[in-house]
Amino acid sequence: MTPLQELALLPPAGRDTIIDALPPGTAAELLTRWDEYAHRGQHWSDAAWRIWLIRAGRGFGKTRAGSEWVNHVARTVSGARIALVGATADEARRVMVEGPSGVLATARLDARPDWTATKGEVRWPGGAVATVYSADAPEGLRGPEHHAAWCDELAKWRRGDAAWDNLMMTMRLGAQPQVVVTTTPRPTALMRRVMALPGLVTSTGRTGDNVHLPESFVASMTDSYGGTATGRQELDGELIEDVAGALWTRATIERSRVAALPAVRRVVIGVDPPAGIGGDACGIVAVALGEDMHGYVIDDASVTSLTPEGWARAVAACAARHGADRVVAEANQGGAMVRSVLVAADAALPVTLVHASRGKAARAEPVAALYERGRVRHVGVFAALEDELCGLVAGGGYEGPGRSPDRADALVWALTDLMLARRTEAGVRVV
């Protein structure tokens, strides 16, 4: 590790103390030694690429990577013509040009550019010129030609398709025109288009990957948003999409989230046993009925790749942990075996077996309706379970992670027992 890397990894207060004691010229030069302290996701590849997509969480260092690349192009490509495209002209100016990680702040001392705000132009001593464009005004991209382009916060572009198409038609200078896209991902049509393009190189990362951020900021953001759909998108850089026709949406689940469990009347454990031994997951979900007559999801204790005895012990442990008065288990896959292994794990465990005559999505619809009416809450975050819920499609079908929504099915069994009448017409038979 070089001395500069060691300096960069110091706590902010200690780092600032050392930098403040340096001569002004030396301190300014440190800011330009990008290669010494950039983290892995901020380095561009030397291989031939057409589009570099940096899809990462907030604070990852996307803007710094984009501006460093623009300055690199300006230094190394004679007479380079560069497009700086922001969601709006004001954002492009404030973030991409004038911001603390913009092209003016990150330029090397021997290649400081001039910025003419009235023209929206950045000019480097070697002859390179960058022009600011707004994605809100895609017609402004008709006519010019570019060697390179930097597109910031692509997922926020309100007229994204038109701006992107016009920009691509300008990328016709030089042997290998290149575009860098820096954005926190959102499931927009343009985002999906760009991610599917040939010649794409992608860097992904999380807010916490940037070691230069204050630890207190990362900890605060993680405490507030860790594991939620918002956190996974804004902090982890994941592309979180809603499936067309899904019974649950991300917004519905986020509205259902609470921090604490109120007084409860009873607790039920739902179990979706695996069909085989040591293969699929065993869904194990604990739900409580509050004194307010709302349902509360309190634990996802699902396990994978265990023998029947192993997952039965996990069910018994979950029931003991939450003081459950009932275990509701699907018995389509060997009812007698399911009961026997659960009883063997805990002889006092009250077990109800249910047989399903309809598909998972059909059974889930009445439970999804409880969420829509605001009658179910999630006490905390259950990312894997919530991903499965958002993959169940009305009318049948599953488009979530894994082969089967085992966790979601366990939740459906538990909430059906806890909050809905048992009706044979609902496709459930209790034994």
Side-chain angles (χ1 to χ4, degrees), residues 289-302:
L289 182 66
E291 292 289 353
D292 57 5
M293 300 306 294
H294 284 71
Y296 291 85
V297 181
I298 58 176
D299 194 4
D300 175 9
S302 303

Side-chain angles (χ1 to χ4, degrees), residues 249-270:
T249 67
R250 303 286 177 181
T252 297
I253 291 177
E254 291 302 328
R255 286 195 302 269
S256 76
R257 210 176 303 284
V258 295
L261 178 66
V264 302
R265 295 189 172 197
R266 56 187 297 246
V267 175
V268 171
I269 311 296

Side-chain angles (χ1 to χ4, degrees), residues 3-41:
L4 188 55
Q5 288 173 322
E6 293 179 356
L7 175 64
L9 291 174
L10 288 174
R15 185 170 65 235
D16 292 346
T17 298
I18 293 175
I19 292 175
D20 289 344
L22 296 173
T26 304
E29 177 63 20
L30 285 177
L31 299 177
T32 69
R33 302 290 293 276
W34 168 248
D35 290 340
E36 295 288 336
Y37 56 84
H39 60 74
R40 180 180 56 83

